[in-house]
Structure formats: C-alpha cells, structure tokens
Amino acid sequence: MNYLPIFINITQKPCLVVGGGDIAYRKINLLLKANAQVSCVAQACCNGVTQLAKNNTITVIEKAFEPSDIKSQVLIVSATNDRALNAQVSDLAKNANIPVNVVDSPDLCTFIMPSIVDRSPIVIAISSAGKAPVLARLIRAKLESTIPNAYGKLAELAGSFRAQVKAKFNNIEDRRYFWEKAFSGVVAEKVFSGKTDEAELDLQTQLDKSTDSEMGEVYLVGGGPGDPDLLTFKALRLMQQADVILYDRLVSDEVMELVRRDAELIYVGKERDNHSVPQDGINQLLVDLAKQGRRVCRLKGGDPFIFGRGGEEIETLAENGVPFQVVPGITAASGCSTYSGIPLTHRDYSQSCRFVTGHLKDGTMNLPWDELAVEQQTIVFYMALKGSKHLSEQLQAHGMRGDMPVALVEKGTTPEHKVHTTTLAKLPDLVANETIHAPTLIIVGEVVKLREKLNWFDAES
C-alpha cells in the first residue's frame, strides 16, 4: 500500500486551512463534518468561506500566511494555487510532525483526502494514492448506489447493544457469530425498512435466547485456479466469516487477500513427496478446531471434490458429528483451459473429456491407458508434470498418435499464466528443456489446435 488507511478523531481539535478559495471551502466543510475547530488563513476568501466566518462556524484570518500560523494543530490543509507557498506549508508542517494535505500535490502530502461514502457511523474511504482521483470518485458512486443509508442506523443500533453482547458471550468468536447473524437476518431487514423499534425488540430477543456455542462448523471452499474474480459469492462470504483458514499451496496470494483480516491462518500445503501436514493430521485438525467452537474454512485450490481430497475430509467430519458445508470452485481444468483459449469439448474435435490425476496414492501412474488413448476425446492431467515422459510413452504405446497436440498450462488464470504447446511425442523434450513450474496442467487432444484462433487471455504469449 502507498498509504496506510486510518481514521483520525478531530472532534473539537484545531485544524488549519491555508487558502480561501472554492477548493479550500470544500475542504473546510469536510473538516466541519468531522466536528473540527477550523481556522483559515487567506488574503482573500470566497463567498462560502466568508459566510462560514460570519456564522462563527470557523475562524478566518485575512492575511498572508506566515510560519507562525502553524502552532499546535492536529492537521493542516494547504489549498492555494501558489506552488511555492504550498511547498512551504508542507515543509513547516512536516518539521512540526503535523499531518499535512496539499490539494492536488500528493508529493507534498503526508496524508491524502479519500473519496468518502458517509453512512455515519459507517464511513468508507476510497483512495487511489493520488494517481486517479476520478476513478476513486467513480468507485464511490458505485458504492453510494448499493449501500443503503440505513446502514448507519443499523450501526447505531449495534452500538447500543455492544456492552450487553460483550457481557453475554465469553469469547470473541461467539460475539462475532451473534453479530453476523443479526446483520444478515431479520433485524437488519427491519432497520432497512424503517422499523427500527421492531428491530431493537428482535435483537433483544435474539440476545436473550443465545448461548455460548459448543460446536463450530467447517466450510470446504473451492478457491478456484487462481484468479480471485472466479470465486463464488458463497465462497467469499464464508471466507470472510471463518475464524480459522486452513489453506494449501495451490491457493493464490490474490485469493488469500480476500480472507478475513483477523482470521488465524494455518498453512497445510502439500506437494509431491513433501507434506507440511499429513492428510490424516489435516482431517483431525478440522475436527479439533470445530469442537473448540471455531468456524473453520478449509480453502482449497480448484474444487474440493476434484482431486482435492475433500471427500476424505468430510468423511472424518461426518464420523465425528461436525457440521460442514461444501462450496464448489472452478476446477483447474475448466479455468486453465478457458483462459488458454482451449475448449475442452468441441463438436468437430472432441465429444468427451476426462480428468485424470497423474499422481496416485501410492505414487504410481497406473491408469486405464486403453480408455484414454482414443480419438475425439480431451484428456486433462492434473499433477502430471513429473510423470509427463511416462504418460507420453504409455499413450503412444496404446495407440495415440505422436503428433497429437498437447498444451501445458502453467499457473493458469494468474498473472503468471503461461501456455506451452507441443505434441505428444515431443512432450518429454519440452519438459526436459524448458523451466516449467508447478502447478501445471497438461491437456491432450485435438482441441489444443484451437488455441491459435481462440486465445484471448494472454494473446502476446
């Protein structure tokens, strides 16, 4: 981040604005909304600033700025069209360790004014670090249209119950669960409908009937192949409400950025011959955490039920009476092929598609090669990079042509997305001579030829 987003309490605190024009007037009004005590130094003032002074809302000192005007303010805004003066104000404020904002000059600022969505006490600030303020305002406009004004009333209602809720529940997880249920249920709907008194009664009833939880819940969530835009709404919601995240190495950094900020993160990543936590240990950890009353998100790359061992995990959960939900994700075969411009089926080239793991439980690649080596079929091999030479030999030995098109999709759908194309016979040489990183998916079939025409995501590769 270029700036740390913070909110400053300036209620009844002295703030200085240098300049008296229309831009200064807008900044003054913003400070006044936060209940600041505003002084304005300017040789000439616009009508708006003058009127504020006449109403005794602010103090205006009509003179040229002098260094002695900087005293013990909590923040300073310089809003003049004099670059030299703005720079002087900036230097003086920095030397006095006072936060300073110079309008339209990010290089002179120690803080910048964001675009604001005001649903007080809910306040949302949007910043582009001074690089694209118009874009920030457009984003604000989108949020303004989707966030009802009643969210402020909902926050006020929650604030009036905060002490009761804290006294009712012994741990923070139970308090969080109570509020999430209230904010997503009938209480919130009644506030949005203007029935605040009814919402207050319902919230009190919910609180009176609530008890500390004894059993948590586990969410098996498919994180998709890498692009966070491919997450489902349900996946994102559960990722945001989980207390603990167990994630593997195939979950992209971009997807991990979307989990709840204060959730406990536990890495249980596995790669060939190197398991940081054995599968049995993961299964038991899910049970143990849930029995502690935690809400646990088991976040997996791709889809939990397609070579993700999700079935084994929920077997253990079911045996131990732990409630769970499973959220499908876009599996790597679908995501990687789509982003590579390779349709898995096509009327002219392939009438079926098979997903195959190249790494079985015992470390072998003992597959039904006769069923795989047929025409008009697409084969997608997961975890087969290390065994690519063996699969090339076996498919050819069972009748597949050596010139069958093959694509290797490296880190599909992510910014590092890369596609290598070759033929079945030349596949071992490609893997031996090129540096190809896992995770890599191998697609075998005539549909690979369509990439040249249909590639849209990485057109320059």
Side-chain angles (χ1 to χ4, degrees):
M1 295 185 295
N2 297 96
Y3 293 86
L4 177 68
I6 60 174
F7 291 83
I8 301 176
N9 180 3
I10 60 173
T11 299
Q12 298 304 308
K13 302 289 179 61
C15 297
L16 175 65
V17 176
V18 180
D22 291 334
I23 295 177
Y25 175 62
R26 291 200 296 270
K27 300 303 181 185
I28 289 170
N29 278 319
L30 192 59
L31 296 174
L32 290 174
K33 288 188 72 174
N35 301 306
Q37 292 181 347
V38 180
S39 296
C40 175
V41 175
Q43 290 181 291
C45 297
C46 67
N47 291 335
V49 174
T50 300
Q51 190 60 49
L52 289 173
K54 286 181 178 179
N55 295 339
N56 295 319
T57 304
I58 66 172
T59 299
V60 171
I61 306 169
E62 293 193 26
K63 68 177 188 67
F65 171 81
E66 298 176 11
S68 60
D69 293 322
I70 292 180
K71 299 171 183 175
S72 57
Q73 295 93 352
V74 297
L75 65 80
I76 296 172
V77 176
S78 188
T80 78
N81 56 9
D82 185 333
R83 171 77 182 185
L85 175 56
N86 288 339
Q88 181 189 18
V89 174
S90 175
D91 290 340
L92 289 168
K94 291 174 183 176
N95 290 335
N97 291 319
I98 300 174
V100 60
N101 172 264
V102 179
V103 176
D104 291 334
S105 298
D107 56 311
L108 298 179
C109 299
T110 58
F111 77 95
I112 57 178
M113 293 286 196
S115 290
I116 294 172
V117 178
D118 187 2
R119 300 290 186 268
S120 292
I122 299 297
V123 178
I124 303 169
I126 306 106
S127 169
S128 66
K131 299 182 185 302
V134 173
L135 178 59
R137 287 198 294 272
L138 289 173
I139 294 172
R140 186 192 79 179
K142 289 181 180 293
L143 293 175
E144 289 274 13
S145 65
T146 57
I147 300 176
N149 282 309
Y151 267 101
K153 294 180 180 179
L154 183 60
E156 292 285 3
L157 176 61
S160 67
F161 274 77
R162 188 175 181 188
Q164 288 187 62
V165 172
K166 189 173 182 180
K168 174 82 173 184
F169 299 106
N170 293 322
N171 63 70
I172 191 171
E173 286 83 8
D174 286 331
R175 293 198 291 272
R176 185 181 294 119
Y177 180 73
F178 172 83
W179 284 123
E180 287 173 352
K181 184 177 179 181
F183 292 151
S184 60
V186 66
V187 170
E189 289 302 322
K190 286 189 176 180
V191 171
F192 297 155
S193 300
K195 302 175 182 177
T196 307
D197 292 340
E198 291 183 25
E200 184 174 355
L201 291 174
D202 285 346
L203 188 57
Q204 186 67 61
T205 300
Q206 287 185 22
L207 182 59
D208 293 340
K209 293 181 178 179
S210 297
T211 58
D212 290 334
S213 63
E214 296 181 0
M215 176 69 76
E217 188 175 13
V218 175
Y219 318 127
L220 267 68
V221 174
D227 185 346
D229 287 345
L230 298 180
L231 288 170
T232 64
F233 288 126
K234 187 172 184 180
L236 185 58
R237 176 170 59 82
L238 295 180
M239 287 163 58
Q240 287 285 321
Q241 74 180 37
D243 307 310
V244 187
I245 309 290
L246 273 65
Y247 66 103
D248 61 43
R249 71 184 183 92
L250 296 180
V251 180
S252 70
D253 293 340
E254 293 80 6
V255 169
M256 287 301 298
E257 282 292 320
L258 299 177
V259 304
R260 207 178 75 205
R261 293 293 181 188
D262 59 342
E264 179 183 354
L265 304 181
I266 301 176
Y267 177 69
V268 291
K270 295 180 290 181
E271 55 187 309
R272 191 182 184 101
D273 304 324
N274 181 22
H275 293 193
S276 63
V277 180
Q279 185 62 49
D280 289 344
I282 295 173
N283 299 348
Q284 189 59 49
L285 183 58
L286 293 173
V287 172
D288 294 342
L289 289 168
K291 288 188 174 181
Q292 295 170 17
R294 314 288 292 279
R295 286 173 297 171
V296 186
C297 174
R298 174 66 172 107
L299 186 56
K300 297 171 172 288
D303 181 277
F305 280 5
I306 299 181
F307 307 127
R309 305 187 73 171
E312 299 172 46
E313 292 172 356
I314 64 172
E315 274 188 294
T316 304
L317 295 173
E319 289 167 359
N320 286 271
V322 175
F324 60 85
Q325 300 181 47
V326 182
V327 183
I330 292 180
T331 188
S334 178
C336 295
S337 63
T338 299
Y339 275 52
S340 302
I342 302 172
L344 294 179
T345 61
H346 189 283
R347 185 173 61 180
D348 298 330
Y349 298 100
S350 175
Q351 281 72 56
S352 66
C353 178
R354 296 188 67 158
F355 298 169
V356 181
T357 176
H359 177 50
L360 301 184
K361 186 174 181 179
D362 59 2
T364 68
M365 194 184 285
N366 183 22
L367 298 170
W369 300 108
D370 285 332
E371 298 176 15
L372 299 178
V374 297
E375 294 292 328
Q376 300 289 300
Q377 177 173 258
T378 305
I379 316 168
V380 182
F381 289 93
Y382 288 68
M383 299 170 286
L385 189 59
K386 189 172 182 179
S388 56
K389 184 174 185 296
H390 182 66
L391 76 84
S392 171
E393 293 171 345
Q394 288 298 315
L395 287 175
Q396 290 181 82
H398 287 79
M400 185 171 283
R401 308 188 325 267
D403 63 353
M404 179 66 74
V406 175
L408 288 80
V409 184
E410 180 181 351
K411 298 185 177 181
T413 80
T414 73
E416 292 81 36
H417 179 105
K418 189 174 183 180
V419 181
H420 310 265
T421 55
T422 185
T423 63
L424 186 62
K426 295 178 180 178
L427 174 61
D429 290 336
L430 173 66
V431 174
N433 297 324
E434 296 283 342
T435 302
I436 303 175
H437 300 94
T440 292
L441 209 68
I442 300 178
I443 303 174
V444 180
E446 294 286 352
V447 290
V448 172
K449 294 191 297 188
L450 293 167
R451 170 175 163 75
E452 184 176 347
K453 180 189 299 185
L454 304 181
N455 179 30
W456 59 274
F457 180 67
D458 58 337
E460 295 181 359
S461 69

